[in-house]
Amino acid sequence: MITKKDVEHVAKLARLALTEEEKEKYTSQFSDILDYFNQLREVNTENVEPMAQPVPMQNVMREDKVELPFIRDEILMNAPLEENGYFKVPKISEEG
Amino acid sequence: MPEITQEIRDKYETVIGLEVHAQLKTKSKIFCNSATEFGQEHNSQVCPVCLGYPGVLPVLNKKVLEYAILTGLALNCEIARHSKFDRKQYFYPDLPKNYQISQYDMPVCKNGHIYINGKKIRINRAHLEEDAGKLVHAGATGLAGSTYSLVDYNRTGVPLLEIVSEPEISSPEEARIYMEELRNIVRYLGVCDGNLEEGSLRCDANVSIRPLGQIELGTKAEIKNMNSFKALQRAIEYEVERQIELVEHGERVVQETRLWKEDEGITISMRSKEEAHDYRYFPEPDLVPMEISAEWVHRIRETMPELPAEKRQRYISELGLSEYDADILVNSMEMAFFFDSVIELKTNVKTAVNWLMGDITAYLKENKTTIDKTELTPESLAEMLNLIDKGIISNAIAKKIVIQVLENGGNVEEMVEKQGLSVISDESSIKDTIKKILESNPEQVERYKSGKPQLFGFFVGQVMKETGGRANPETVNRLLKEELAPC
């Protein structure tokens, strides 16, 4: 059973600030999703290999080759803040 | 706090597990084709994939997986038939995607072991992941007190193999030796530089103590930031002492991450681990699973070079080296490779070891270099050793030659000929020199004859000096005895 406390915990981990209404709403939506998984659990999966990916492919790999690098200024164009070719980020809190 | 006595220390048992991160020596990153070279201009080796821009797709570097399999085999691991990547979620600015692509429940390698001085240390797993970027904290020397941070993402996406031991290491010294052996292994395999100072090989230590005889483990602290083998051993020594003190004072050890401060020789608390660690792993949807066939593993196994432990064993049992000598040679990979090449040229093993561990090592230490970076080749050393064996040059001359060759290279035989360095075995010429020495030192001759036999060495020294070290020592000894014999 998902409680409001679980939602608050997950929101904190995901750095989301939720209103009281949102917390109520997500509590019931979370529960619905988990119920759905319980329903899936009823399927007999004996002799079925577990799969981690719905795409029927494996071993898609590239050779170990370096391509020309991107120009730093272009890469940094998308940075909200930049200083001397570095990405600039706000003070990091010790809380991690 | 009062000093902990040995008696108190002996009441506790130390339990250590190491997590070692080895940067794999590929040219490009694990999931994109940005370069991995160390020490380049900041943010010059990045691309939309390793920066986690929207809409990009990571693709696995095949070499990374091959290196992981090779290392797993060297660590006696089981190689997974099926493996996959997972996302590990956490927020830190050195991680541009807010998750790290790692492996959770299906690592490439598991259940391995290596031996340290005959003791088996089991390896729980070795899994692949991407490295994070580097932070520069502005306005302060460290994180504390900084007003903002700057990020260099060159290291982001560099392939890492994380090798996790079981908590079976029982002393700081054993931890250091385990780490040294792992470094040897990854270097011999050629999969990692093993440079602790530059961080291509890093180590976190999980340290706990428990009263002797207790079965359950004590609360562990994870210590980080040890940049040398010495630092690793010292940091664990300090941490064990700190934990014993806490427990002796009726306090408890807190589960946390602690930072080793090299200058002060202490560990300090970084962040409490109590709640923060909820990584919510789930399978990485952007990467397809890996299927590792037995045939592929077999092909990789065939490329396995001689491992450090095998080399050590061969040196001892086949070449008759002492354990000490074998250990020193093997722990310096360049030296071991050089030694192997010299031996192949049919030189005397014992002499080769003596020269490598003696004058050559002293030269390398003094010049802070490794043998492969000097001008000395296995061929020129072998040639020199043969000239000594044949009695063509003396040891004293060889000592000078070896330094010249280390610095400038060159053909030893030519050098001996051109510079007139060969041993003088011509008896009449040596006899002349001896006579001259005895004539100019009448006082010493007198004292020798009146019962001071230790002066014999003095005369030998004078003759060698006069001939520039080139006189055949045996001839000198024999002729001197004749000349000094009572008439």
Side-chain angles (χ1 to χ4, degrees):
Chain A
M1 201 34 210
I2 291 290
T3 64
K4 202 171 104 182
K5 233 180 124 195
D6 295 323
V7 172
E8 284 169 345
H9 174 66
V10 173
K12 192 184 164 199
L13 290 172
R15 300 291 192 276
L16 293 174
L18 301 182
T19 64
E20 280 305 310
E21 287 121 65
E22 283 170 326
K23 284 180 198 168
E24 296 294 338
K25 190 169 138 197
Y26 294 148
T27 305
S28 77
Q29 285 185 348
F30 261 34
S31 296
D32 289 348
I33 292 167
L34 290 180
D35 284 347
Y36 178 60
F37 275 94
N38 280 330
Q39 198 183 327
L40 284 177
R41 198 173 280 170
E42 289 168 21
V43 179
N44 182 0
T45 56
E46 216 175 304
N47 301 322
V48 179
E49 285 281 315
M51 69 194 287
Q53 252 276 4
V55 186
M57 286 171 105
Q58 69 261 328
N59 292 354
V60 177
M61 297 182 212
R62 29 171 281 273
E63 293 303 314
D64 181 28
K65 279 190 188 132
V66 176
E67 299 251 317
L68 276 183
F70 273 71
I71 295 163
R72 189 165 70 187
D73 288 345
E74 274 178 29
I75 281 287
L76 284 162
M77 267 165 54
N78 290 310
L81 288 169
E82 175 252 324
E83 189 174 297
N84 298 327
Y86 286 98
F87 290 82
K88 185 173 173 182
V89 297
K91 180 175 158 62
I92 300 161
S93 85
E94 300 259 0
E95 286 301 301
Chain B
M1 275 193 245
E3 275 284 301
I4 295 290
T5 62
Q6 193 56 43
E7 198 183 331
I8 294 173
R9 248 179 240 129
D10 289 344
K11 294 189 335 205
Y12 295 91
E13 186 185 3
T14 303
V15 179
I16 304 160
L18 293 189
E19 292 171 17
V20 175
H21 287 87
Q23 273 185 359
L24 298 179
K25 228 165 66 177
T26 53
K27 295 187 191 80
S28 65
K29 293 186 178 179
I30 181 168
F31 299 123
C32 65
N33 46 34
S34 293
T36 55
E37 214 174 312
F38 180 80
Q40 296 299 297
E41 181 89 347
H42 55 275
N43 292 315
S44 64
Q45 300 184 152
V46 292
C47 78
V49 177
C50 52
L51 290 175
Y53 280 9
V56 297
L57 271 182
V59 183
L60 178 63
N61 182 338
K62 191 176 175 190
K63 190 121 225 174
V64 168
L65 182 54
E66 287 172 344
Y67 278 177
I69 295 169
L70 182 67
T71 312
L73 291 172
L75 300 175
N76 304 299
C77 287
E78 296 163 19
I79 307 300
R81 284 299 182 89
H82 315 279
S83 186
K84 68 171 167 76
F85 285 100
D86 299 276
R87 288 187 181 179
K88 177 182 179 179
Q89 336 281 326
Y90 66 92
F91 289 92
Y92 209 69
D94 62 4
L95 194 70
K97 299 193 292 290
N98 291 339
Y99 60 83
Q100 178 189 30
I101 302 179
S102 180
Q103 296 195 284
Y104 183 56
D105 56 344
M106 295 171 74
V108 175
C109 321
K110 60 179 185 183
N111 299 335
H113 65 266
I114 60 170
Y115 285 93
I116 301 302
N117 291 341
K119 176 180 168 183
K120 185 176 183 175
I121 307 282
R122 286 182 303 152
I123 287 159
N124 177 291
R125 59 188 280 156
H127 69 257
L128 285 169
E129 61 187 29
E130 53 180 348
D131 207 345
K134 259 187 187 162
L135 290 170
V136 181
H137 302 292
T141 48
L143 181 54
S146 66
T147 49
Y148 61 91
S149 298
L150 300 173
V151 199
D152 171 9
Y153 286 119
N154 278 353
R155 207 178 63 184
T156 301
V158 169
L160 291 179
L161 185 68
E162 178 173 342
I163 303 162
V164 184
S165 84
E166 293 291 351
E168 293 178 347
I169 299 166
S170 46
S171 76
E173 193 196 8
E174 202 171 275
R176 193 204 75 225
I177 297 170
Y178 167 84
M179 182 71 179
E180 283 173 345
E181 190 63 358
L182 273 193
R183 175 179 187 264
N184 284 336
I185 291 169
V186 295
R187 292 188 78 219
Y188 277 75
L189 294 175
V191 301
C192 172
D193 284 339
N195 189 327
L196 276 72
E197 285 77 21
E198 286 179 3
S200 65
L201 190 65
R202 306 193 285 268
C203 176
D204 302 337
N206 289 309
V207 181
S208 66
I209 55 157
R210 62 181 168 197
L212 224 53
Q214 180 180 305
I215 292 178
E216 81 195 83
L217 293 168
T219 307
K220 69 183 178 189
E222 183 182 0
I223 51 175
K224 288 176 177 286
N225 197 37
M226 292 80 79
N227 299 324
S228 66
F229 292 112
K230 207 172 139 200
L232 171 67
Q233 183 169 342
R234 280 177 68 212
I236 299 174
E237 277 164 2
Y238 173 86
E239 184 57 24
V240 169
E241 204 81 354
R242 188 188 71 87
Q243 293 186 10
I244 292 177
E245 271 177 8
L246 279 176
V247 174
E248 282 291 314
H249 287 81
E251 291 170 64
R252 70 184 188 99
V253 176
V254 183
Q255 180 165 341
E256 61 181 355
T257 303
R258 299 182 66 87
L259 195 72
W260 168 246
K261 305 285 264 183
E262 176 75 26
D263 296 342
E264 293 146 78
I266 57 167
T267 63
I268 58 163
S269 179
M270 259 174 91
R271 54 179 183 233
S272 170
K273 234 182 176 178
E274 316 255 6
E275 195 204 30
H277 279 234
D278 187 348
Y279 293 129
R280 293 155 295 144
Y281 284 96
F282 66 81
E284 166 58 79
D286 287 343
L287 287 160
V288 298
M290 293 161 274
E291 298 291 325
I292 304 166
S293 68
E295 194 260 322
W296 191 17
V297 173
H298 177 75
R299 255 187 293 141
I300 292 173
R301 194 190 287 275
E302 295 204 311
T303 68
M304 182 77 64
E306 185 182 38
L307 291 169
E310 296 164 346
K311 204 182 267 294
R312 204 175 277 125
Q313 195 47 47
R314 175 166 65 86
Y315 285 176
I316 294 168
S317 57
E318 284 179 32
L319 299 179
L321 264 60
S322 70
E323 240 171 79
Y324 176 83
D325 287 350
D327 220 42
I328 290 192
L329 278 178
V330 168
N331 286 345
S332 158
M333 184 181 75
E334 293 82 5
M335 196 65 115
F337 287 171
F338 193 95
F339 174 66
D340 285 341
S341 308
V342 174
I343 292 306
E344 262 174 43
L345 297 165
K346 309 251 176 294
T347 50
N348 181 307
V349 173
K350 188 88 193 98
T351 334
V353 173
N354 286 344
W355 279 93
L356 284 170
M357 308 259 289
D359 287 58
I360 294 171
T361 295
Y363 173 88
L364 298 175
K365 273 196 182 144
E366 200 181 299
N367 292 280
K368 293 191 174 60
T369 186
T370 48
I371 197 159
D372 55 315
K373 298 203 176 70
T374 69
E375 295 297 322
L376 184 71
T377 60
E379 290 74 22
S380 53
L381 182 62
E383 201 178 299
M384 191 184 88
L385 298 181
N386 285 336
L387 292 180
I388 299 173
D389 265 5
K390 286 187 204 149
I392 294 174
I393 54 173
S394 67
N395 257 309
I397 289 291
K399 276 173 183 286
K400 287 177 195 155
I401 292 178
V402 80
I403 301 295
Q404 281 187 41
V405 181
L406 277 162
E407 271 171 7
N408 307 314
N411 181 307
V412 176
E413 226 161 319
E414 257 171 40
M415 204 179 276
V416 168
E417 203 165 307
K418 269 193 194 147
Q419 301 179 26
L421 299 173
S422 57
V423 168
I424 306 168
S425 300
D426 170 18
E427 296 205 2
S428 68
S429 132
I430 294 177
K431 206 175 254 179
D432 288 347
T433 311
I434 289 176
K435 279 191 176 139
K436 208 171 95 191
I437 297 289
L438 297 187
E439 270 163 29
S440 49
N441 294 286
E443 211 177 298
Q444 280 84 349
V445 174
E446 205 51 47
R447 278 167 54 206
Y448 176 85
K449 287 188 172 168
S450 60
K452 288 252 185 276
Q454 58 269 43
L455 271 168
F456 190 76
F458 163 80
F459 297 116
V460 175
Q462 290 296 310
V463 175
M464 292 315 271
K465 198 173 150 194
E466 186 68 27
T467 56
R470 292 171 54 214
N472 184 334
E474 282 163 33
T475 318
V476 172
N477 280 349
R478 183 165 48 79
L479 294 178
L480 249 179
K481 273 187 190 138
E482 283 172 23
E483 290 296 320
L484 287 167
C487 309

